[in-house]
Amino acid sequence: MYVARWQFTARFGRRDECLRVLRKWYVDVAQRVGWRSLRVLSGSIGGPESQIELEVQIDNVEDLEAAWRDMAAVPYHAEYQKQLAEVIVDGTERWTIHRLADLTPSES
């Protein structure tokens, strides 16, 4: 099991606008590609308020790649890309993949 994390910086003073766009994108795009439990984080204490991260749990990297392909077929996705381009600092966006570690003690 993995967590795919999309990280980026919102333009100064535009974090709330960015989050509004992401709320609509979640309904119109993310849910259509099967992302039901998307988690969105924004900086608070000890981190910049403009830092935004979206996390989605996936079974494998192929599932993430399939979701990206499916997004291209959603008619609203291109419009949301344009809207997000207005509120995200160019060059700050990146995807990282994290493996979920199981800390449950094993019985031996």
Side-chain angles (χ1 to χ4, degrees):
M1 192 70 64
Y2 298 87
V3 170
R5 183 179 291 160
W6 183 35
Q7 303 162 308
F8 56 85
T9 302
R11 294 187 185 281
F12 181 77
R14 302 196 65 189
R15 182 194 63 177
D16 291 342
E17 182 181 353
C18 183
L19 293 172
R20 277 193 298 276
V21 173
L22 289 172
R23 280 185 199 98
K24 293 176 184 177
W25 174 86
Y26 174 70
V27 171
D28 292 338
V29 179
Q31 289 186 339
R32 291 174 191 247
V33 299
W35 290 357
R36 301 279 184 248
S37 59
L38 188 72
R39 188 164 85 159
V40 179
L41 304 122
S42 63
S44 186
I45 298 171
E49 290 184 11
S50 59
Q51 183 68 37
I52 297 176
E53 300 180 5
L54 281 77
E55 292 182 347
V56 63
Q57 194 167 322
I58 55 174
D59 291 327
N60 52 56
V61 176
E62 291 79 18
D63 287 347
L64 179 61
E65 291 173 339
W68 287 339
R69 281 191 303 275
D70 292 346
M71 280 182 203
V74 176
Y76 310 106
H77 186 60
E79 179 56 35
Y80 284 115
Q81 286 179 312
K82 290 176 189 173
Q83 290 178 30
L84 287 170
E86 297 294 319
V87 294
I88 292 176
V89 175
D90 293 342
T92 63
E93 63 278 353
R94 68 182 179 142
W95 278 93
T96 57
I97 310 298
H98 304 267
R99 185 184 315 268
L100 288 174
D102 183 5
L103 299 180
T104 307
S106 60
E107 296 182 33
S108 351

